[in-house]
Amino acid sequence: MGDAWYSKTNETIIPGNPDRIKAKWDPLQYLNLAQYLKVFNEYPRDFNARVHGPYCPWRYYGKRDLHFGDVKVGDIPAWIARRDKTPMGIYQGGIRTFWKFYRAYLDNKRPNLIWYTQIFMVASLFNFVFFAIPDRKHYKWAKYH
Amino acid sequence: MLTKFLRPFVPNGVATSLIAYRPLSISNRFFQNANSKSTSVDKSSKTDEKSLVGQENKKEKALRVEDSLKDLSSIKWRTEHNGKRLWPHDQWPERDLVNFPPYKLREAPNAVRWYFVPESWFKFFYDKTGVTGPYMFFYGLIIYGFSKEYIVLWYDFTEYLILAAAVITVVKKVGPSVGDIFRGWHQEEVDRYTSVVNNSKAMAGKMLHGYEESLSRAKNVGQLADARKDIINMALETAYRDRMRQMYEAVKRRLDYQVALQNARKDFERTNMINWITTEVKKAITAKQEQDTLQACLNQLRQIAQQSR
């Protein structure tokens, strides 16, 4: 049967077998949710530790492409076509964005609260555009602008 | 035991025939003949492929840390790459340090204007709109909001205005001090870790300084002994010269005595002779001779007087 949390095989209970002790202090480690999240917990395909060194989650390890600021307006559709638009690609892009933000504002020797301010401003903008403006439509001074 | 027969982890796209492996220790060489499936020695490509066929399914098993700790001979190092010899300390010749530099902790966060707009946006728009581009954009956005009544000027607008002014004033005045206090607390904790190594370095330096001083003192002991030898030699020379002087003075005293003695003798002889001669002569002068000489002298005087008149 093997070992589960409610029953164990005799082999594993033999005293002196350190591998039977699977308990861990951290409940997250004990539950071992990483086995279900293996798909999200792997390196990107283009990452090679021998060439790239230790893994930096904010870096893109694929083929080098133009920055969005350097691409011409006419080439934008072609540029977008070259991007990886699969769900995994989008997920990895989001992860990279987060780590870039982290590295820009939190991964240094003199951090400040700019990261909080930026998140606050974006949230305020979202709230203003989608919730505050509709609430204030009744209080407009003029109907047509 | 099972790890001795595992193939090492090979990255995708690398032909195993091109890689040469060598174990760290020789402990597994004793089991070579016992099991034909072991690949612990540099073998020709023929045997590599043979063993590949036999252990295809085993290649998929990942090496676990526990296995390698139990048996360090399972660690395989590459010995050559592209015809170049590789050493244990230099196993990564493909490492691209130019495009993928090593991780470095940054000193400060990215620069930001108005507390939420990154400087990179200003640099991006500088070529197209100049310095005032983003400023004009945000002011224009606000004016657009007022003009289209997305920002409704109702009675609570004053509160928001004063709130913004108050928040900005407080953050400008109090922000840096609060940041410094927090950073001070953090720096104390960091110092507790880094001071260990720095203090060990300082103590090592002090000990080295002491060793250097004792070495120089040991060198100076020779000079000290030489100085003492010089002092003693000088004292010996002084004594020698003093005794030479004493000898000289003793000899001189004796010689001076002899000279003085001879001089005294001569002096006595001379005075004695002179006195004797004068007394004898005086004795030999009779009274008649005295009268005759007196008359002769008188006559001479008369003659002289007659002549001089």
Side-chain angles (χ1 to χ4, degrees):
Chain A
M1 192 162 36
D3 49 349
W5 63 272
Y6 52 83
S7 91
K8 309 267 182 246
T9 56
N10 200 22
E11 223 170 34
T12 53
I13 298 171
I14 292 169
N17 182 3
D19 289 335
R20 73 180 172 92
I21 298 162
K22 296 260 191 283
K24 291 184 168 70
W25 284 113
D26 187 13
L28 281 174
Q29 277 186 334
Y30 175 74
L31 294 169
N32 197 11
L33 300 167
Q35 61 185 333
Y36 311 115
L37 298 167
K38 254 197 183 10
V39 179
F40 303 103
N41 208 25
E42 280 172 350
Y43 287 140
R45 268 177 213 282
D46 298 318
F47 175 71
N48 183 4
R50 286 191 194 279
V51 176
H52 303 126
Y55 180 64
C56 297
W58 59 83
R59 290 205 68 115
Y60 178 61
Y61 288 106
K63 192 164 171 295
R64 267 294 193 33
D65 199 3
L66 283 173
H67 195 57
F68 185 64
D70 301 328
V71 74
K72 301 277 185 261
V73 175
D75 299 336
I76 283 179
W79 187 85
I80 290 168
R82 273 181 269 149
R83 297 273 114 177
D84 182 12
K85 292 173 284 295
T86 61
M88 202 61 202
I90 293 165
Y91 170 73
Q92 281 174 353
I95 296 285
R96 263 181 274 130
T97 311
F98 165 77
W99 281 109
K100 271 186 191 143
F101 179 81
Y102 178 85
R103 184 148 166 82
Y105 297 108
L106 288 156
D107 192 18
N108 51 54
K109 290 186 193 170
R110 302 175 55 81
N112 50 23
L113 286 171
I114 301 289
W115 59 275
Y116 183 82
T117 316
Q118 284 190 340
I119 293 166
F120 177 85
M121 293 307 256
V122 169
S124 303
L125 201 69
F126 187 84
N127 175 66
F128 182 76
V129 167
F130 294 108
F131 296 101
I133 288 175
D135 288 348
R136 279 154 180 70
K137 277 196 160 84
H138 292 290
Y139 299 96
K140 281 200 288 195
W141 291 108
K143 198 171 165 191
Y144 300 107
H145 298 96
Chain B
M1 270 262 290
L2 282 171
T3 57
K4 285 192 170 103
F5 313 123
L6 281 174
R7 284 198 57 76
F9 175 67
V10 173
N12 291 334
V14 182
T16 47
S17 55
L18 289 175
I19 298 166
Y21 294 99
R22 174 170 299 178
L24 274 187
S25 73
I26 60 162
S27 60
N28 56 356
R29 287 186 186 267
F30 298 110
F31 297 97
Q32 270 174 31
N33 301 326
N35 195 326
S36 58
K37 282 186 186 171
S38 71
T39 56
S40 52
V41 174
D42 294 352
K43 285 192 176 153
S44 57
S45 55
K46 197 165 141 198
T47 42
D48 272 357
E49 267 141 14
K50 246 200 238 170
S51 50
L52 247 183
V53 168
Q55 297 173 26
E56 226 172 74
N57 48 0
K58 286 221 179 115
K59 196 171 96 171
E60 300 305 319
K61 181 176 175 188
L63 279 169
R64 291 193 334 213
V65 169
E66 303 91 81
D67 295 334
S68 62
L69 286 174
K70 274 182 216 155
D71 180 13
L72 288 173
S73 60
S74 67
I75 296 169
K76 301 283 189 281
W77 295 102
R78 301 193 292 179
T79 54
E80 68 161 309
H81 171 76
N82 286 348
K84 205 180 85 157
R85 180 87 167 86
L86 285 186
W87 303 102
H89 65 277
D90 187 20
Q91 288 277 309
W92 306 270
E94 316 107 320
R95 177 88 170 87
D96 185 4
L97 288 164
V98 173
N99 295 324
F100 302 96
Y103 171 74
K104 219 174 174 150
L105 185 63
R106 300 176 74 224
E107 286 287 339
N110 287 1
V112 136
R113 282 200 223 183
W114 292 342
Y115 293 109
F116 71 98
V117 177
E119 275 283 345
S120 55
W121 292 14
F122 284 81
K123 262 196 278 182
F124 175 72
F125 285 112
Y126 179 78
D127 297 328
K128 296 161 179 67
T129 62
V131 170
T132 53
Y135 291 97
M136 286 296 122
F137 173 74
F138 283 108
Y139 297 153
L141 209 61
I142 290 162
I143 289 162
Y144 175 70
F146 283 131
S147 114
K148 284 279 210 179
E149 291 244 70
Y150 293 131
I151 303 167
V152 178
L153 289 171
W154 204 241
Y155 300 104
D156 54 1
F157 185 74
T158 326
E159 296 167 15
Y160 303 142
L161 215 59
I162 293 165
L163 178 69
V167 164
I168 287 164
T169 316
V170 166
V171 167
K172 277 186 132 77
K173 296 276 184 278
V174 165
S177 339
V178 168
D180 288 337
I181 289 163
F182 285 137
R183 265 179 234 124
W185 291 349
H186 183 64
Q187 192 62 38
E188 280 172 19
E189 216 177 303
V190 166
D191 290 343
R192 282 207 272 143
Y193 286 92
T194 53
S195 60
V196 172
V197 167
N198 292 340
N199 288 353
S200 333
K201 280 187 190 171
M203 279 202 285
K206 277 191 185 169
M207 288 173 78
L208 284 170
H209 183 56
Y211 297 148
E212 282 164 10
E213 273 189 348
S214 62
L215 280 171
S216 66
R217 254 184 273 132
K219 273 196 196 144
N220 293 341
V221 164
Q223 280 183 10
L224 204 64
D226 290 341
R228 288 190 187 125
K229 279 184 201 158
D230 288 342
I231 287 164
I232 289 165
N233 285 335
M234 283 201 278
L236 283 171
E237 212 173 306
T238 310
Y240 173 75
R241 289 188 185 200
D242 192 35
R243 289 187 191 152
M244 284 293 268
R245 181 180 57 78
Q246 285 175 13
M247 259 171 54
Y248 165 80
E249 275 171 12
V251 168
K252 190 156 185 300
R253 264 183 73 207
R254 283 160 178 73
L255 292 172
D256 286 344
Y257 170 73
Q258 295 297 332
V259 163
L261 194 69
Q262 286 182 9
N263 286 346
R265 215 176 257 139
K266 281 189 184 155
D267 195 33
F268 176 74
E269 285 174 0
R270 278 197 208 106
T271 48
N272 194 30
M273 199 62 127
I274 288 164
N275 288 341
W276 183 68
I277 289 169
T278 48
T279 46
E280 285 297 313
V281 164
K282 277 186 185 156
K283 266 196 247 171
I285 297 172
T286 56
K288 189 187 182 276
Q289 277 177 348
E290 209 175 328
Q291 290 287 333
D292 287 341
T293 49
L294 256 170
Q295 288 296 324
C297 294
L298 283 170
N299 290 337
Q300 275 181 0
L301 280 167
R302 281 185 201 125
Q303 279 178 7
I304 291 164
Q306 275 180 358
Q307 281 173 5
S308 64
R309 267 189 207 163

